[in-house]
Amino acid sequence: MAFGLIIIGDEILSGRRIDKHFPKVLELLGQRGLQLSWAEYLGDDPDRITATLKRTLATQDVVFCTGGIGATPDDHTRQCAAAALGVPVVLHPQAKEKIQERIADMARESGATPDFDAPENQHRLKMGEFPQGASIIPNPYNKIPGFSLPNTSGEGAHYFAPGFPVMAWPMFEWVLENHYADQFHRHAWAERSMLVYEAMESTLTPLMEAIEAQFPLVKVFSLPHVGDQQTRRHIDLGVKGDPTQVEPAFEKMQEGLRALRAEFQISA
C-alpha cells in the first residue's frame, strides 16, 4: 500500500507560508511503521488541481490532501475533486449537522441565539458541500469536517483536510487509526548509514551495485554533501530495508570501503 500527499495553496508556492505538512505526515506514518511514497505541491489553479486529482484518483494509493476546502473564492479543492470524478457537489447531511453545531457553539459563546438562516450561516454550509458519494472526516478542532473519496480504481482512497495544521493533523491521524490500523508495522524496516569522507560516488558505485545484487531485500542510498563549517566533504552512504539483510549488507559495505581504503565514520 502506497501513501501519497498533495499540498495545495498559492501561499506555499509563493513562500508566504512555510509548509509544515510534509514533515508531520512523515512523522505520523513513521510512528506506525508506514512510509510516504510521493508528494506533490499545487497552487490554487482549478485546472491543474482537477487534472492531478483525476490522475491520482485512478491509482490504488492512499492520498492525504490539504488545503482549498474552505468557502472563499480561492478555495477550489472540493469542486475540483467533483470535476475529476464527474459528479456534482452536494451538501452532505452529516456535514450540515456538524456545521450547524459549530454555528450554535459560536452563538452560545457570544450570548446570542443561533440564526441558521442568516446569510453568513447559509454561506458557512458551503463548507459542507462535497463531491457526491463522499464521506466526512471529523474535525476535533472546530467540527467543520473534511471529506474522503474512494479511488476510481476500486482500491485506496483520498482524504481531504483544511490547510490549517491544527485541524489537518488530527484528522489525518484519525484516518490512519480508523481505516489503516491493520497496516501498522506490517513490514519490518531498518536503516544503517555512515559518512564516507572525500570520496567520489563514481568510485563507490560498483560496491553499491554489488551489495544490491547480493542482498535483494535492501536498497543502497548515497547522499553527497559538499561540506560546510561543521563537516568535510562527504557522502552519506547506507542501506535500508529488511532487517534480516540490512546488517549483513552493512557489514559488506564496510568491508568494501576498507578494501578501497576509504575513510568513513558510522552514523549514530
Side-chain angles (χ1 to χ4, degrees):
M1 180 175 291
F3 287 85
L5 174 64
I6 299 174
I7 299 165
I8 297 174
D10 284 347
E11 68 278 6
I12 300 296
L13 298 183
S14 70
R16 180 176 289 274
R17 286 188 177 175
I18 302 301
D19 169 53
K20 297 179 180 178
H21 294 299
F22 181 82
K24 185 61 177 183
V25 169
L26 289 182
E27 176 188 325
L28 292 175
L29 293 173
Q31 289 171 344
R32 294 161 174 82
L34 304 170
Q35 289 185 303
L36 186 67
S37 295
W38 57 267
E40 294 190 34
Y41 290 85
L42 302 173
D44 296 312
D45 179 341
D47 290 340
R48 190 177 297 276
I49 296 171
T50 300
T52 298
L53 291 177
K54 188 172 184 178
R55 168 172 51 83
T56 59
L57 280 161
T59 70
Q60 298 181 344
D61 296 348
V62 175
V63 180
F64 295 118
C65 184
T66 73
I69 68 169
T72 56
D74 60 343
D75 292 317
H76 307 293
T77 304
R78 293 177 292 112
Q79 295 84 352
C80 291
L85 293 173
V87 299
V89 172
V90 296
L91 179 59
H92 194 289
Q94 288 176 280
K96 178 182 179 181
E97 179 182 329
K98 291 298 180 182
I99 293 170
Q100 287 182 332
E101 284 182 18
R102 175 59 178 166
I103 293 170
D105 290 343
M106 291 190 297
R108 279 194 298 271
E109 290 169 3
S110 61
T113 301
D115 180 3
F116 297 116
D117 295 323
E120 64 271 20
N121 289 333
Q122 287 295 305
H123 182 72
R124 286 191 175 99
L125 290 179
K126 289 189 174 296
M127 290 187 291
E129 294 179 351
F130 303 142
Q132 191 173 59
S135 300
I136 68 166
I137 304 172
N139 180 348
Y141 183 78
N142 66 1
K143 297 184 179 180
I144 309 298
F147 67 98
S148 66
L149 293 167
N151 290 349
T152 57
S153 67
E155 299 288 341
H158 280 51
Y159 299 91
F160 298 83
F164 299 104
V166 70
M167 302 179 194
W169 297 352
M171 293 168 78
F172 289 157
E173 192 161 16
W174 180 90
V175 168
L176 289 169
E177 293 293 332
N178 285 272
H179 292 286
Y180 300 101
D182 62 331
Q183 299 293 320
F184 296 174
H185 303 288
R186 287 186 62 181
H187 302 286
W189 182 266
E191 181 175 313
R192 297 293 306 276
S193 66
M194 65 189 84
L195 302 184
V196 185
Y197 295 102
E198 306 295 341
M200 302 294 291
E201 279 191 298
S202 57
T203 304
L204 301 179
T205 297
L207 172 60
M208 296 164 63
E209 292 174 340
I211 289 173
E212 286 201 343
Q214 184 175 352
F215 301 96
L217 300 182
V218 304
K219 290 184 177 180
V220 176
F221 60 87
S222 172
L223 304 172
H225 193 293
V226 297
D228 53 30
Q229 293 180 344
Q230 283 73 44
T231 184
R232 290 180 285 152
R233 182 168 65 92
H234 66 270
I235 295 172
D236 185 1
L237 183 68
V239 292
K240 57 186 178 181
D242 190 305
T244 63
Q245 291 196 356
V246 163
E247 287 303 325
F250 194 60
E251 289 294 332
K252 192 73 173 181
M253 179 174 281
Q254 293 176 69
E255 291 176 11
L257 291 174
R258 293 189 189 100
L260 292 171
R261 299 184 181 277
E263 179 187 357
F264 63 90
Q265 178 182 351
I266 296 175
S267 304

